Amino acid sequence: MIATPMPSFSIVIPTFQRRDAVCEAVRALGKLHYDGQVEVIVVVDGSTDRTEAALQAIDCPFPKTILSQDNKGAAAARNRGAAEATGEIILFLDDDMLCESDTLEQHARMYKDGADAVIGDFPIDPGSPQGFLTDWIAEKAHWDREGTALTPFEIFTGHLSVRRAVFEDLGGFDESFTAGGHYGNEDIDFGARLLERYQVRHNPQAITRQRSTVSPRQFMRRARSLARNDLRFAAKHPKLARELFARRGAGRTSRRLRLLSRIPLMPATLGAVSLFAAEIGLKTRFRSSRKLSYLIHGAWLAAYWSEVRAGGRPDSDASGAADL
């Protein structure tokens, strides 16, 4: 019996201003064990930290292409990398993902079984900075998907592979979600379109480890950006709007916190106070404090819901928020 050839892979990694992180991600590709053809494409999305030169200096066992462009956002960077890809399968990775040696083998196994796209898992890398933000991301990275149908909200571009023909058929990622420095939802938008027509599999044995380096300031800055993109997603996919806002905490966010989000300047004030406390706390033995985590997440929610209300969805299709 003639063995079925292993599918070829194009690994596409977008990066912006994270030279050290993306260099570690590319170095980690060196430990991949795979019998098929592999190419690596890194798209430097307007970085000014000499990322391109640092990447060029890294030895890689696979053909490596470094593309540079003006800062257009993560979705545009992924689309640019996909346009240059020649592999049968495109594996999209974030620039903080560290592959295991069998990551490609685990994805390939699903394609041999008929998958059109595969999502893997991404536990936190032990080398990530310790603190409440890393703890929170680690908790969010683990959820039980066994026995349940995948939804667009389980499609993450940080570790997603898709047949190149399928990606092209769907028109790639909607670049409007991440243009102009905005954050979030290009993945769930792609997931909504992907799941309508194609077979998507989850393989928990396909693992990349996330070297989380998100700072409290970056975390807070994403709140309003994500709110604006949630409004954009809700307008584009109205049937998914209720579930989207439910996943953001509608119905669970306290009445007091919602009231705070309606007071002018209060979300900004709460954000400034929480950032001050968080940045100091992360330098002390209290860096994993639940109280610090509660404070900054409360500030994040106040900023998020303030922006959602400003966008015209005051109740976000939710009612009966619990008391704090």
Side-chain angles (χ1 to χ4, degrees), residues 137-280:
I137 293 171
E139 290 176 6
K140 294 296 181 182
H142 295 279
W143 70 98
D144 184 10
R145 285 166 283 190
E146 297 300 324
T148 60
L150 289 172
T151 75
F153 305 102
E154 282 86 51
I155 306 298
F156 295 102
T157 47
H159 185 184
L160 166 71
S161 68
V162 58
R163 293 187 186 274
R164 181 158 57 93
V166 169
F167 184 81
E168 292 172 351
D169 183 50
L170 293 174
F173 297 106
D174 184 341
E175 297 180 10
S176 66
F177 280 102
T178 58
H182 291 299
Y183 168 81
N185 291 2
E186 80 281 9
D187 44 10
I188 61 174
D189 168 71
F190 182 76
R193 293 180 281 127
L194 180 65
L195 286 165
E196 283 181 350
R197 298 168 51 190
Y198 293 104
Q199 186 176 140
V200 185
R201 303 278 184 85
H202 166 230
N203 184 356
Q205 294 177 297
I207 293 173
T208 60
R209 299 192 180 276
Q210 185 178 15
R211 179 72 61 82
S212 176
T213 58
V214 176
S215 69
R217 197 164 296 273
Q218 290 171 322
F219 177 75
M220 281 298 302
R221 194 160 50 232
R222 290 176 177 179
R224 293 187 181 277
S225 182
L226 185 62
R228 289 190 288 269
N229 271 353
D230 279 356
L231 292 166
R232 182 190 299 273
F233 180 88
K236 187 174 181 179
H237 303 278
K239 292 182 179 179
L240 295 170
R242 182 179 291 272
E243 183 177 358
L244 170 67
F245 289 112
R247 286 171 178 264
R248 300 298 188 221
R252 299 194 308 274
T253 304
S254 73
R255 288 189 178 93
R256 269 182 277 182
L257 194 53
R258 282 177 175 270
L259 286 172
L260 286 175
S261 73
R262 300 175 187 179
I263 300 173
L265 300 181
M266 181 56 71
T269 301
L270 184 58
V273 171
S274 68
L275 274 177
F276 178 76
E279 289 176 343
I280 291 178

Side-chain angles (χ1 to χ4, degrees), residues 17-83:
Q17 299 292 69
R18 298 215 294 183
R19 180 187 61 197
D20 293 343
V22 72
C23 285
E24 282 299 308
V26 172
R27 290 189 189 99
L29 299 179
K31 67 180 181 182
L32 285 170
H33 296 156
Y34 188 66
D35 292 334
Q37 293 185 339
V38 180
E39 65 177 356
V40 177
I41 302 171
V42 183
V43 183
V44 182
D45 187 40
S47 297
T48 59
D49 59 357
R50 298 183 57 80
T51 296
E52 184 177 3
L55 288 169
Q56 294 287 9
I58 295 175
D59 289 330
C60 183
F62 312 112
K64 180 183 64 176
T65 301
I66 312 300
L67 304 173
S68 292
Q69 64 180 30
D70 293 338
N71 183 233
K72 298 179 180 179
R78 292 189 182 98
N79 285 343
R80 172 81 186 281

